[in-house]
Structures are given as C-alpha cells and as structure tokens.
C-alpha cells in the first residue's frame, strides 16, 4: 500500500506523462464490439482518452461494455438493428459528446456514408477520408486505380483480357472472404454468381460482382501501410496470410518466409504508390497474391485496421491504433521508412468457436463455462473480448480471440504458439484449437511450404484431428493411465484417512485394460512417488507430474519431454476425455442453403433419393444437430 506522499508522487508523474503526450481527443466512441473494441480501448486508456462503448441488448454485460467509461445501447441483437444502426450510433455520439469515432473492422468501418455523416456532424472519423474509402471499397474501381498507379494487377478484371478457367468471382464491395467463389467451369460460374451475389447483398447491401483470372496455388501476402494527411506514407513490412478456409484467414505470421528483401521492397513501394494515389491517410492494408515465381498481383485494399494487425505491432514496435488516432488529429508521421524494423517473428492464430471437423470450421454457439487464456507464458498476447460466462451467440462472428506469440526467431515463435495452444482452456463451446495446433506443427508449415490451398491439400478428406502414430498412442495411453490411477487413489482417501478402515494399503503396481478408440490395450503400471512407468504396446513410457486434479491444466513430462494435459471430463465409470497434443433429388443436387455468419453453405444430396419431409422454413433459425430435410 502506498503512503500519502508516494500516492501524490505517483499522481504527479502520471499527470506529467499525460501532459507530454500529444493532445488528440478527450473522448472516443468505438463503433464496434468484442475483441477489437477492447483492443482500441486499451490504447485509448494509455493515451488518457475516455471511451464510449456501443452495444446491443444481448451485449449489455460484454467485456467491451465493462471496459468503457460510458456505454450506450443502440438496439436489439441483429446487427442491422444495432451495430449497423447508423442513426442509433450517431445519436449515441451526440448524447455522449464523443469527439471522434474509431470503427474497428467490419460493421461500419468501410462505410463511406457513415464517415461522411460524421464529418457533417463535426465528429472525426478515425480512418481515411470518404474518397479513399469509396475508391478502394469498390473492387472494380480500386483495380483501375491500381493499374493507373503502376501497381501489378490480375488479368481480366477490366474486361480487356480474355481469360480461361479457373476464374474468381468476387463481390465488388466485399471483404473478409464473403461473396467470393472459385469457378472451374460454366456450371460453377452460374452457381458462384448466385451465391456470391446473395452473400454480397446480405453482407454489404451491394450485389455487384467482378470476375478475374484465378491465380492457382498462390500465397496471400499483404503489406501494412500507414499514411498521414501531409502526403507522407510508409510500408510496415508484410504479413503472410496464406492459411485460409473459405477465403478467410486462420493463421498469419510476420514476416513471410517466402519474401526476399528485393520483393519485399517492391511490394511495399507499390503499396505506398497506391495509398498516395488515393490520398490515403490512416492505417490500411494492401493485399497481394504471390505466385511461386514471386510475381505479385494487387488483390484489394482494406481501408481500416486489419484483424491481424498485432503481428505487425510485434515486429515493428508500433501501436497502430495510436498511430491512427494521431493521424486523425492531423499529426505528421513520427517515423521515416528507414526507421521501420523487422525485429523477430510473430504468429497469430485465430481462435474461433467453430467445429473444425466440419468444413474446417462451422460456427458453434454456447456459453463459456470455463475460460483461461495462456497469459502466464512469456511473449504471448491474447486480444479477446470475452470472459468466463460469456455467450457465443448466433448473431455475431464466432471469434473467441486472436492468440499471438512472438520470438526472436520463427522457431521460437512457433514453439511458444504450441505451448500457448496447449495451455488455452476453453469449455462450453466447440473450438478450433485442435486444427490450429495441427497446422503450426505440420512439417509443410514449419518448412514454409504453404499456399492458400494448404488446408485442402493437407486434409483432402477434411480435418480428422490428430492422427496418432505408435509412439504418440503409447504416450497418450500412459498419460491417461497415470491420470486415472491418480484419480482412483485420491478417491480412496478422505482427509488423509482411508475411507474404509479394512481397505488394503495403497498399491504401487497395476494391470489395466484401456480402450482407446475401437482398440483395447493391456498395460502394466508401476508407481514410484509422482512417477509412473507404463509398459504398453511393446514399449515403456515414463510419466511424471504433480497431478493436481483440481487444476484445469496438468503439466507433465512424458519420457523427459514437457507436455500439457487437459482433462475435459472424468466419469465414475473410468471414462476420460483428454486434450492431448489436441422432391426427387439426384446425387450432388442442392437441397437447401444455410446462412451462417453471413456465409452461404449449400447442402447437397450424397446419393440419389426422394425427399420424404422438410422440417424447416425459409428464414428460420436452426441449431446444430437439427433435422432439416429427410431423404429416402
């Protein structure tokens, strides 16, 4: 506890720090929710800026609401009635006296009408001006501008070059993988136009599409740019974003293993050329597709803070939100291009409430009954907007957090990511940590041999979970047996005394039969202190640990190697669930279309059959496991 003189000194130092900070805004409203709203608020607090949260009625107890200095409800749960409700958000700004608005990403972040109305009301939009938003928000116009600025573009988008299949169909106003389809023939093109236009209309209110040559097996590499209102612009190195499912990023890293200094510089300079061509001022991202020969082509520019911005912050030491706020206030950039470093390596895993065993991730909903972030580990950052007890609902993106690790080398960052994923406790919803762990430990990923086709190439039949070899199966058996025996021994005792006085003394040797999957394994176990020696499947495994069964995480060593064990459930029957290491229709005919998180998924018949009954209606909300259509 501080004495009065120490308290006075602390307040004085804090006041002096605030005095020497550049004066920006007194109060900022964050027109977003979840992890990005929390992320922006952290920087605002650091800069001495008060914050205002907006929220829907179901988000009234959300973390971003608790973190803000003020909070205003802007409507019911559906996004078009709350977080996209422009009138309600503008009224919240007037009511709270916020001087500026940070839009985060998604929602209204790239809505030129919203930015225009803020300016008309004398409120600063923390982002680029409406001209840049409009120019880069339209994929057709942005590519014409890029071509004029001598930025490499993909053939076909402007109708000048005839291209053959495959082609990419895109929503002109789109982003985030929505409204995108690859077509390899005429039939897929017709189907792609239908789905892409519907998704585009649902997500962006604009169903215009463009079509261009699809670059097969490319890398997706983007350049972070930062520009001010005085004509200065920088490129802050690249981010490798090739690991994707359904055109949405899953794992990102900075820098890329693929780029050499010359290619990096060329991409960075072209990104700055494009930013200057539209008089861009703020943080933004220029995305490229890069082929195997390091030819790169402009994809799009996102005129907002990018989801994966933390990995750029890790390797450059810059706070991008702070830079956006400074630029919005009119300050010049503090750095020159020569000042931008690449210090170390950073990796980001997007942790989602998704079932990775279904199309690499279909949304899961529920309440987080247990939640523990791995922040006890060094060089680990978790950007989240949830806590234990939070609900993952059907109304919003199912992202739980962005898990970021940093190291002096890529190998160090990867090792930390593996530890962080193993130590991440999430209960109550299905999550994608098993898939993330498999990706970052896969030999192809470790070697840097990746492309946007990584997931379908590595898992052509879909993700099936970690496949145990003989050694890892033996290790799992040993860990499970050690945990089971520890649990049984503890249950024999009450306050240190034997439950039944006539019970035999504690054993130190056991013969057990363990069921793993569909197989049975006979194991021999010897216990000495905290060490279990297990003989199984013709081999011997030594497992030791402190075996604190009340803990959600059990650090153990298996044959001298550190492992993290999570016991998901333990039943009286002896069953353990562990997380370790992680009309007449024709075949293929579409039966129904499900929209999940504004992505449309077509369900088709697996074989010729007759529709027996339909259990759903158009526009109805359905849950996981619900019976939709019966075929016979």
């Amino acid at each position: 506890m501080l004495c009065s003189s120490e308290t006075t000194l602390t307040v004085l130092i804090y006041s002096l720090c605030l005095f020497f900070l550049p004066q920006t805004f007194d109060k900022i409203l964050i027109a977003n929710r979840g992890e990005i709203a929390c992320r922006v608020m952290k920087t605002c607090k650091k800069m001495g800026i008060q914050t205002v949260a907006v929220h829907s009625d179901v988000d009234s107890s959300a973390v971003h609401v608790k973190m803000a200095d003020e909070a205003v409800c802007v409507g019911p749960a559906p996004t078009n009635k709350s977080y996209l409700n422009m009138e309600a958000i503008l009224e919240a700004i007037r009511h709270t006296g916020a001087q500026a608005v940070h839009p985060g990403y998604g929602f209204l972040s790239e809505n030129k009408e919203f930015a225009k109305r803020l300016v008309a009301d004398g409120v600063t939009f923390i982002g680029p001006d409406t001209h840049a938003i409009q120019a880069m928000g339209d994929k057709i116009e942005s590519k014409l501008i890029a071509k004029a600025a001598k930025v490499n573009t993909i053939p076909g988008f402007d109708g000048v070059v005839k291209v053959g299949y495959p082609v990419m169909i895109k929503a002109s106003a789109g982003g985030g993988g929505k409204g995108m389809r690859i077509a390899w023939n005429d039939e897929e093109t017709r189907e792609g136009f239908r789905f892409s236009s519907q998704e585009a209309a649902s997500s962006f209110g604009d169903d215009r599409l463009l079509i261009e040559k699809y670059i097969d097996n490319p890398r997706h590499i983007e350049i972070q740019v930062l520009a001010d209102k005085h004509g200065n612009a920088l490129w802050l190195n690249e981010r490798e974003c090739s690991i994707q499912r359904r055109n949405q990023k899953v794992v990102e890293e900075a820098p890329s293993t693929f780029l050499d200094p010359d290619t990096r510089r060329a991409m960075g300079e072209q990104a700055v050329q494009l930013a200057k061509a539209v008089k861009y001022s703020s943080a933004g991202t220029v995305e490229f597709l890069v082929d195997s020969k390091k030819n790169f082509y402009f994809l799009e520019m996102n005129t907002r803070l990018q989801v994966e911005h933390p990995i750029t912050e890790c390797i450059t030491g810059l706070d991008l939100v702070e830079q956006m706020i400074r630029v919005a206030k009119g300050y010049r950039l503090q750095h020159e291009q020569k000042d931008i470093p690449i210090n170390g390596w950073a990796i980001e895993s997007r942790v989602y409430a998704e079932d990775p065993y279904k199309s690499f991730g279909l949304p899961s909903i529920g309440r987080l009954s247990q939640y523990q972030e791995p922040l006890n580990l060094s060089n680990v950052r978790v950007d989240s907007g949830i806590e234990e007890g939070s609900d993952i609902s059907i109304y919003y993106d199912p992202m739980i957090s962005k898990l970021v690790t940093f190291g002096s080398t890529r190998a160090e960052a990867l090792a930390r990511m593996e530890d962080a994923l193993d130590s991440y406790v999430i209960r109550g919803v299905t999550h994608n940590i098993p898939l993330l762990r498999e990706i970052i430990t896969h030999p192809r990923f470790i070697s840097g041999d990746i492309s946007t086709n990584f997931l379908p190439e590595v898992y052509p039949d879909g993700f099936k979970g970690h496949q145990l070899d003989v050694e890892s199966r033996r290790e799992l058996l040993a860990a499970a047996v050690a945990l089971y025996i520890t649990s049984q021994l503890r249950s024999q005792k009450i306050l240190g005394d034997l439950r039944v006085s006539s019970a035999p003394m504690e054993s130190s040797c056991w013969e057990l039969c363990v069921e793993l999957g569909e197989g049975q394994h006979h194991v021999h176990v010897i216990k000495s202190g905290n060490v279990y020696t297990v003989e199984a499947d013709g081999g011997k495994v030594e497992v030791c640990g402190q075996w604190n069964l009340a803990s959600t995480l059990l650090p153990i060593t298996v044959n001298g190697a550190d492992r993290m064990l999570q016991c998901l459930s333990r039943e009286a029957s002896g069953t353990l669930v562990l997380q370790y290491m992680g009309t007449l229709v024709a075949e293929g005919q579409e039966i129904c279309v499900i929209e999940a998180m504004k992505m449309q998924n077509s369900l088709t018949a697996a074989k010729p059959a007759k529709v027996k009954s339909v259990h759903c209606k158009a526009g109805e909300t359905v849950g996981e496991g619900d019976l939709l259509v019966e075929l016979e």
Side-chain angles (χ1 to χ4, degrees):
M1 181 175 178
L2 292 172
C3 65
S4 58
S5 59
E6 290 175 322
T7 304
T8 303
L9 179 61
T10 301
V11 171
L12 178 61
I13 292 172
Y14 180 71
S15 300
L16 286 171
C17 288
L18 291 181
F19 178 79
F20 286 111
L21 285 173
Q23 298 302 299
T24 54
F25 305 100
D26 297 323
K27 186 184 292 187
I28 291 176
L29 182 143
I30 296 89
N32 217 297
R33 67 179 298 279
E35 61 86 13
I36 188 58
C38 295
R39 162 69 190 92
V40 174
M41 288 177 192
K42 288 177 182 177
T43 289
C44 288
K45 289 183 183 296
K46 181 181 73 173
M47 298 177 71
I49 301 170
Q50 289 189 308
T51 57
V52 180
V54 294
H55 64 90
S56 65
D57 53 8
V58 298
D59 270 350
S60 59
S61 299
V63 173
H64 78 281
V65 174
K66 297 175 183 177
M67 185 180 291
D69 297 297
E70 299 175 61
V72 180
C73 182
V74 290
T79 55
N80 64 331
K81 297 179 179 179
S82 52
Y83 296 103
L84 290 174
N85 186 343
M86 204 179 300
E87 294 299 335
I89 293 174
L90 290 169
E91 178 56 35
I93 296 166
R94 288 189 285 267
H95 174 73
T96 59
Q99 301 161 316
V101 172
H102 196 298
Y105 55 76
F107 294 137
L108 296 171
S109 63
E110 294 176 284
N111 187 303
K112 63 181 182 294
E113 183 62 28
F114 181 59
K116 188 182 298 183
R117 292 189 63 178
L118 288 175
V119 172
D121 286 354
V123 177
T124 302
F125 178 74
I126 301 176
D129 63 24
T130 54
H131 165 71
I133 295 173
Q134 179 171 342
M136 293 295 99
D138 187 305
K139 285 185 168 53
I140 298 172
E141 184 180 353
S142 68
K143 289 177 184 291
L144 292 171
I145 293 171
K147 189 174 184 180
K150 301 190 183 315
V151 176
N152 302 346
T153 54
I154 300 172
F157 74 91
D158 55 1
V160 175
V161 181
K162 291 184 178 180
V163 297
Y165 289 112
V167 295
M168 174 68 83
I169 302 165
K170 296 181 180 179
S172 179
K178 296 180 176 68
M180 294 178 65
R181 292 290 188 281
I182 301 167
W184 296 81
N185 53 50
D186 291 350
E187 183 180 346
E188 289 184 3
T189 300
R190 285 190 290 270
E191 185 179 79
F193 263 85
R194 176 164 68 97
F195 282 128
S196 292
S197 60
Q198 290 170 355
E199 285 180 6
S202 172
S203 298
F204 315 111
D206 183 345
D207 64 357
R208 291 178 304 139
L209 303 174
L210 68 88
I211 188 167
E212 63 189 9
K213 179 67 178 174
Y214 172 63
I215 308 299
D216 195 15
N217 215 39
R219 287 174 178 258
H220 184 139
I221 300 176
E222 61 191 27
I223 300 293
Q224 176 72 57
V225 295
L226 181 64
D228 63 23
K229 300 177 186 297
H230 305 279
N232 303 304
L234 304 172
W235 49 275
L236 309 182
N237 302 310
E238 79 279 5
R239 294 186 289 256
E240 172 74 71
C241 306
S242 298
I243 306 299
Q244 303 179 4
R245 51 99 174 92
R246 299 191 299 279
N247 298 309
Q248 291 181 313
K249 300 160 190 172
V250 180
V251 176
E252 303 101 343
E253 61 181 309
S256 168
T257 61
F258 190 62
L259 296 190
D260 56 68
D262 290 340
T263 307
R264 176 178 294 115
R265 185 181 306 107
M267 292 176 70
E269 289 174 350
Q270 287 198 17
V272 166
Q273 286 169 209
L274 180 59
K276 289 185 174 181
V278 293
K279 296 181 172 56
Y280 196 84
S281 59
S282 192
T285 298
V286 181
E287 302 191 353
F288 294 94
L289 291 180
V290 185
D291 67 19
S292 59
K293 297 180 180 178
K294 298 185 180 178
N295 299 308
F296 57 91
Y297 306 92
F298 171 67
L299 184 62
E300 64 182 4
M301 183 177 189
N302 291 313
T303 57
R304 53 169 168 79
L305 190 64
Q306 201 83 329
V307 176
E308 57 274 16
H309 75 274
I311 54 177
T312 295
E313 293 182 325
C314 286
I315 66 167
T316 62
L318 295 177
D319 182 330
L320 293 183
V321 174
E322 180 181 356
Q323 297 301 316
M324 293 178 76
I325 293 171
R326 285 176 49 84
V327 167
K329 188 62 178 177
Y331 288 101
R332 292 178 179 272
L333 295 182
Q334 298 170 294
H335 305 86
E336 297 180 5
Q337 191 61 55
K338 61 182 177 60
D339 301 325
I340 306 304
I342 298 181
N343 288 329
W345 214 284
I347 298 171
E348 175 179 288
S349 293
R350 299 193 188 189
V351 181
Y352 279 101
E354 289 183 338
D355 186 345
Y357 306 101
K358 297 177 181 178
S359 301
F360 299 111
L362 291 182
S364 170
I365 61 173
R367 176 165 294 176
L368 293 169
S369 56
Q370 274 189 296
Y371 184 73
Q372 182 178 318
E373 296 173 348
L375 293 173
N376 59 305
L377 303 176
S378 62
N379 290 331
V380 172
R381 168 176 168 176
V382 183
D383 282 16
S384 67
I386 49 91
E387 61 188 353
E388 193 165 288
S390 292
D391 288 315
I392 307 296
S393 78
I394 62 173
Y395 297 106
Y396 311 118
D397 187 275
M399 179 183 284
I400 292 174
S401 74
K402 299 179 307 197
L403 177 62
V404 180
T405 58
F406 175 76
S408 57
T409 64
R410 185 171 186 260
E412 191 176 312
L414 280 172
R416 287 196 172 121
M417 180 60 73
E418 186 176 347
D419 289 342
L421 289 169
D422 285 344
S423 301
Y424 210 142
V425 178
I426 303 172
R427 307 280 192 275
V429 295
T430 306
H431 54 77
N432 68 334
I433 283 180
L435 174 61
L436 295 172
R437 194 186 191 284
E438 285 298 295
I439 291 170
I440 62 113
T441 58
H442 194 280
R444 270 190 59 179
F445 184 85
I446 293 172
S447 68
D449 177 19
I450 61 175
S451 73
T452 55
N453 293 323
F454 177 87
L455 288 178
E457 286 176 357
V458 173
Y459 308 105
D461 300 320
F463 180 63
K464 306 296 183 184
H466 182 68
Q467 302 303 301
L468 298 173
D469 57 24
V470 174
E471 183 178 353
S472 59
R473 183 177 65 238
R474 190 184 296 125
E475 290 182 359
L476 176 57
L477 285 168
V481 164
L483 180 60
Y484 171 75
I485 292 174
T486 301
S487 176
Q488 292 298 303
L489 291 175
R490 190 184 70 164
S491 68
Q492 289 180 6
K493 296 181 178 181
I494 299 177
L495 299 177
D497 296 326
L498 292 176
R499 182 179 299 175
V500 182
S501 59
S502 60
M505 295 298 291
E506 183 177 300
S507 301
S508 59
C509 183
W510 297 266
E511 297 284 344
L512 298 173
C513 181
V514 183
E515 291 186 6
L516 177 60
E518 297 179 356
Q520 290 190 342
H521 305 265
H522 293 276
V523 300
H524 177 74
V525 187
I526 297 175
K527 179 178 184 293
S528 177
N530 289 325
V531 180
Y532 291 87
T533 303
V534 182
E535 294 183 20
D537 293 352
K540 186 178 290 187
V541 180
E542 191 173 88
V543 183
C544 63
Q546 293 303 311
W547 305 108
N548 179 5
L549 300 183
S551 174
T552 52
L553 296 169
L554 294 171
I556 61 175
T557 60
V558 181
N559 285 342
D562 292 332
R563 296 281 187 265
M564 185 62 74
L565 189 67
Q566 291 192 39
C567 184
L568 306 184
S569 68
R570 188 169 61 245
E571 299 175 8
S573 63
T575 300
L576 295 173
V577 180
L578 304 178
Q579 181 173 306
Y580 182 78
M581 304 282 250
T583 311
L584 288 178
V585 295
E587 181 178 353
Q589 182 174 331
E590 181 178 277
I591 299 171
C592 63
V593 176
I594 296 178
E595 182 177 294
M597 307 302 174
K598 295 188 178 180
M599 296 291 285
Q600 297 201 353
N601 303 280
S602 175
L603 301 185
T604 59
K607 60 183 180 181
K610 182 179 181 180
V611 175
K612 180 180 179 181
S613 59
V614 178
H615 299 271
C616 58
K617 298 177 182 178
E620 192 173 50
T621 299
V622 297
E624 183 177 357
D626 287 0
L627 180 61
L628 304 180
V629 180
E630 284 187 87
L631 304 179
E632 61 180 8

